[in-house]
Structures are given as structure tokens and as C-alpha cells.
Amino acid sequence: MAEAIILRSGEGRSYSLGKMTALFKADEDETDSRYCVSEWWMEPGTEGVGAHSHEANDEVFYVLEGAPDILIGEEWQQFVPGDFIRIPATITHDFRNRTDERAGLLNFFIPGGFESSMPAIVDWFDKNPS
């Protein structure tokens, strides 16, 4: 039987990506790779991870704070707290924060297993500071 996951505000596995932080709440071990849940926090003037798509993974974003922009296909759109965005597999996407306030996104990656990519992403950000 699966166990409940209880993490308080700010808890989880944190990855520093320059002016951005990813905080993972649940992934492979906790969900049997069915989904991944993380928070993405961007300081003012932060570009995201770069336009990309996923062959077999949907992504859901829920705006927690600020007014981040999200690229969906070829169009950037600005969102506000409470907005919900689902990006199906194969659709190009990215996110950024062009405002002067911090922005936060809750992310669901379906199916899971994304966190295993984080060491390589952290390494890329370390070698390519913004």
C-alpha cells in the first residue's frame, strides 16, 4: 500500500538553476513513476529552461505567484495566480518571468520520471549562467 506524502511549505528536493529553483515534491520513488510534482520559482527577469517538447509526457502548470509567461506552441502568453495550463505531449513549451516580481509555478509531469534529468539540467545551468 502506498504511503501518504506530506511536505510542508518549502520542503522537498531542491535544485538551483541560476535565478530559478526547482523544488520536487514527488517523483519516481514516491509515485512509481506515474507522475511528478514540482514547484518552479523564478526571480525577476528569469528566462526558463528553453523551448522544448516531450515525446510522451503531458505537463500541467498552475500559477502559484506572480505573472509568468508560458510558451505554448509558438505563442507566449502571460498568466496570473490561479491560472491552469495543460500542455499535451509533443507541444513545444517554455516558461519565463519578465516581471519585476518573483513568479512560481506548480508543475505536474505525467507520467513521472522527470527528476532523473535534473543533475544534467543543473550542470547545464552551472556551465551557462545567465
Side-chain angles (χ1 to χ4, degrees):
M1 179 193 261
E3 294 183 26
I5 300 170
I6 300 172
L7 296 171
R8 303 295 181 186
S9 179
E11 293 182 337
R13 295 172 300 279
S14 183
Y15 297 90
S16 179
L17 307 160
K19 293 170 37 177
M20 185 168 40
T21 301
L23 183 63
F24 280 74
K25 303 292 190 172
D27 196 14
E28 293 171 276
D29 292 340
E30 299 91 355
T31 71
D32 198 27
S33 294
R34 292 185 312 253
Y35 60 90
C36 171
V37 180
S38 57
E39 295 175 8
W40 291 77
W41 293 96
M42 298 172 282
E43 295 303 318
T46 300
E47 294 298 321
V49 296
H52 64 282
S53 64
H54 305 284
E55 180 93 12
N57 302 87
D58 288 356
E59 282 201 70
V60 171
F61 292 97
Y62 183 83
V63 181
L64 299 170
E65 184 178 309
D69 296 332
I70 297 180
L71 176 68
I72 304 168
E74 296 182 13
E75 182 182 352
W76 284 99
Q77 297 180 52
Q78 189 173 56
F79 295 93
V80 296
D83 286 351
F84 172 94
I85 305 96
R86 175 189 169 251
I87 302 172
T90 73
I91 302 295
T92 300
H93 59 282
D94 192 7
F95 50 85
R96 66 186 181 195
N97 179 14
R98 294 218 163 164
T99 73
D100 58 1
E101 305 276 330
R102 184 173 92 137
L105 295 165
L106 181 64
N107 175 252
F108 291 83
F109 190 84
I110 308 158
F114 180 72
E115 191 175 3
S116 62
S117 302
M118 288 307 296
I121 295 169
V122 168
D123 185 54
W124 186 91
F125 273 89
D126 285 346
K127 292 177 180 170
N128 299 280
S130 55

